[in-house]
Amino acid sequence: MLATSVVLGCFSLASYAAVSPEQAARLGADLTPFGGEKAGNSDGSIPAWTGGFNDPIEGEVLGGKRLDPLADEKPLYTVTAANMDKYAEKLTDGVKAMLQKYPDTYRLDVYPTHRTATAPEWVYNYTMQNALKAKLDGHKILDAFGGVPFPIPQNGLEAINNHRLSWKGVSWEADINQYQITSSGKAVLTTDGLLKNQMPYYFEEGSSEGFDGFFWEINLENYGPPIRAGERIAGRTNLDEGKTQSYVYLAGQRRVRKLPNACCDTPTPATAGLMSFDELSVFSGTTEVFDWKLLGKKEILIPYNENRFLQYSDEEAIAASHLNPDAVRWELHRVWVVEATLAEGKRHQAVRSKYYLDEDTWQASLADRWDSNGDLWKTLWQFNYIMPEFPGTIPQTFGFYNLLSGEAYVANMMNDKSFHNRPVARFPTSTFTGQGLARQGTR
């Protein structure tokens, strides 16, 4: 049962104003600066937010491998196929389906909840400004910059845009591997590369007035596997989807090609075509394909504070048809539940989806997608990590389980690499453009 008593209605194409000064004043008072409930829950299983995890992790070398500050903790309980009915209210449809599909190997080890989310003070200040002036004109975000655009969301479209524009840092890079897991449980390396990310939306000196809408920039250089070595992908995502630009450098052709339809359910070359563009980070890309409905807030079990996962090698972390349950940390958190249904006149392989957005970070931790037959088709997930120097609880690794075919995909695993997601100096914009990509292609 949804904790929020009022079920908010479906978004319609109208212009929505920001919240009142009285509502905005709740940020930092009874709400966190990002709009989460500052208090814990009634039985204490979710503690109060007290500012997040800001101290350096003991023994961790900045720029190197991440350690787990919660390594000494033991699970409070374990959810299995045998006892899942007891915890049904705290499980998503996709997690229930995974427990039923793999009753002998899939489980949830549930640890104490830690509300580690944090961000720089200037991000909180921008978030307060956004609460007072950011608004939607149809699907277009207006007058938002440098913080969560809608910390007190009024509808599903505002909430999913909070996920798209959630705090992840300004400029960062990560050495990553990506794997397809076949239906027979074999892990196949699809990408070994260097990932560069940048969010100009979070340039501290910027403003909503001078912002050109390019909020997320990405460059992926493939080292391997050999058939993909030298391939590069770059792109700049704009709040106005028509201005989004994506390019691929094909080493075999020694040419840069502009991707014609880098959105929605089009397979993305960044994942060897195994995930769609809008499945990256659970959801990315245009919102215009769907109608969005905010269903309210709920306490559910989600993967969280996954520094534990990084202590396992790639081989250890993938166990046959799914991730190794020993490596995954689950916690109870309050999430916003957002439903997306296919808009009239649009097409998409997934006609309905549900997204579960963590109240503290606005990151989508889990999602479920249904196909046109009404079958639960995919369940998507995303891991976040305690990274105090950003500062924040920062997402990076994500993937999906195909509940019909038994296939799966794991993107952006950093486990075997020499460093794990580190903040860096800003990249020049040319790092992410087609012209820049032409200069970067060397093979």
Side-chain angles (χ1 to χ4, degrees):
M1 182 175 182
L2 295 177
T4 302
S5 59
V6 178
V7 178
L8 300 169
C10 186
F11 174 78
S12 61
L13 292 179
S15 180
Y16 280 82
V19 301
S20 68
E22 292 75 20
Q23 288 176 297
R26 295 182 61 195
L27 299 174
D30 65 306
L31 301 180
T32 73
F34 278 176
E37 294 176 52
K38 190 179 280 188
N41 65 352
S42 57
D43 66 8
S45 55
I46 297 176
W49 182 83
T50 57
F53 195 112
N54 293 286
D55 297 329
I57 297 175
E58 186 177 354
E60 187 170 277
V61 177
L62 294 181
K65 286 180 172 288
R66 300 278 170 181
L67 300 181
D68 181 10
L70 309 175
D72 293 337
E73 293 188 345
K74 304 296 181 186
L76 298 172
Y77 57 93
T78 296
V79 182
T80 68
N83 68 2
M84 61 183 287
D85 289 347
K86 179 180 177 181
Y87 303 100
E89 287 296 320
K90 295 180 171 58
L91 303 176
T92 63
D93 293 327
V95 169
K96 292 176 186 175
M98 285 296 292
L99 288 165
Q100 292 167 336
K101 189 175 183 68
Y102 304 104
D104 297 327
T105 59
Y106 193 77
R107 70 175 196 275
L108 281 62
D109 288 340
V110 182
Y111 290 79
T113 297
H114 292 272
R115 299 180 69 181
T116 54
T118 186
E121 195 64 30
W122 58 266
V123 174
Y124 294 151
N125 293 338
Y126 274 120
T127 299
M128 175 62 82
Q129 294 176 30
N130 290 341
L132 292 167
K133 67 178 186 179
K135 52 187 175 294
L136 289 169
D137 182 7
H139 286 263
K140 189 175 182 180
I141 302 173
L142 303 176
D143 301 327
F145 186 81
V148 174
F150 307 106
I152 305 175
Q154 305 300 300
N155 54 64
L157 186 56
E158 290 187 351
I160 198 66
N161 276 311
N162 286 345
H163 158 71
R164 296 172 74 209
L165 294 170
S166 60
W167 166 248
K168 307 176 185 70
V170 178
S171 304
W172 67 97
E173 63 180 10
D175 253 349
I176 54 100
N177 286 333
Q178 301 190 11
Y179 295 91
Q180 176 190 18
I181 302 176
T182 68
S183 57
S184 62
K186 181 181 179 182
V188 179
L189 179 70
T190 64
T191 301
D192 171 6
L194 175 63
L195 184 64
K196 300 173 181 175
N197 280 276
Q198 188 156 267
M199 292 198 73
Y201 177 82
Y202 280 103
F203 285 175
E204 184 177 356
E205 75 282 4
S207 67
S208 59
E209 291 78 13
F211 182 48
D212 63 5
F214 286 104
F215 68 94
W216 188 9
E217 300 171 320
I218 186 170
N219 180 303
L220 173 60
E221 176 186 3
N222 284 286
Y223 305 143
I227 196 172
R228 302 191 66 197
E231 182 178 309
R232 288 174 179 261
I233 300 163
R236 307 179 72 209
T237 303
N238 198 292
L239 293 176
D240 181 348
E241 185 60 28
K243 297 179 180 177
T244 292
Q245 304 165 0
S246 298
Y247 303 88
V248 59
Y249 173 80
L250 300 171
Q253 300 178 8
R254 298 181 64 81
R255 290 286 187 276
V256 173
R257 305 288 185 186
K258 185 174 183 178
L259 297 173
N261 185 29
C263 112
C264 314
D265 56 1
T266 302
T268 168
T271 62
L274 294 167
M275 295 187 77
S276 64
F277 275 97
D278 68 1
E279 291 175 339
L280 300 177
S281 302
V282 177
F283 181 80
S284 62
T286 183
T287 57
E288 296 181 3
V289 178
F290 300 104
D291 294 324
W292 299 87
K293 187 175 183 180
L294 189 59
L295 299 182
K297 196 180 278 188
K298 187 175 182 181
E299 296 178 5
I300 66 164
L301 297 171
I302 58 176
Y304 212 97
N305 295 322
E306 294 293 344
N307 296 52
R308 176 184 182 81
F309 183 74
L310 297 175
Q311 313 313 308
Y312 288 72
S313 69
D314 286 11
E315 184 177 6
E316 292 170 337
I318 298 176
S321 299
H322 49 73
L323 296 178
N324 181 353
D326 292 342
V328 181
R329 181 186 179 98
W330 294 81
E331 296 183 4
L332 183 68
H333 285 263
R334 285 184 292 244
V335 301
W336 288 99
V337 184
V338 179
E339 184 178 62
T341 54
L342 192 62
E344 186 176 355
K346 302 292 185 181
R347 61 158 301 279
H348 195 288
Q349 288 180 297
V351 299
R352 183 167 76 94
S353 302
K354 276 188 181 179
Y355 296 91
Y356 300 88
L357 315 180
D358 168 41
E359 70 166 340
D360 288 337
T361 63
W362 284 106
Q363 299 158 15
S365 297
L366 295 172
D368 296 326
R369 296 194 123 177
W370 285 262
D371 65 15
S372 57
N373 294 321
D375 294 324
L376 180 55
W377 172 34
K378 286 182 176 178
T379 184
L380 297 103
W381 53 269
Q382 179 170 232
F383 287 177
N384 58 29
Y385 304 99
I386 302 170
M387 298 185 177
E389 79 275 24
F390 271 75
T393 303
I394 303 296
Q396 183 58 268
T397 311
F398 57 87
F400 73 80
Y401 298 117
N402 187 322
L403 296 162
L404 301 180
S405 71
E407 296 173 303
Y409 197 78
V410 185
N412 299 358
M413 286 189 71
M414 304 177 288
N415 306 38
D416 282 355
K417 302 298 187 179
S418 61
F419 68 92
H420 296 160
N421 212 57
R422 61 190 180 194
V424 296
R426 288 184 193 175
F427 300 106
T429 300
S430 59
T431 304
F432 310 100
T433 65
Q435 289 183 328
L437 203 59
R439 291 193 292 272
Q440 296 159 34
T442 57
R443 174 169 168 166

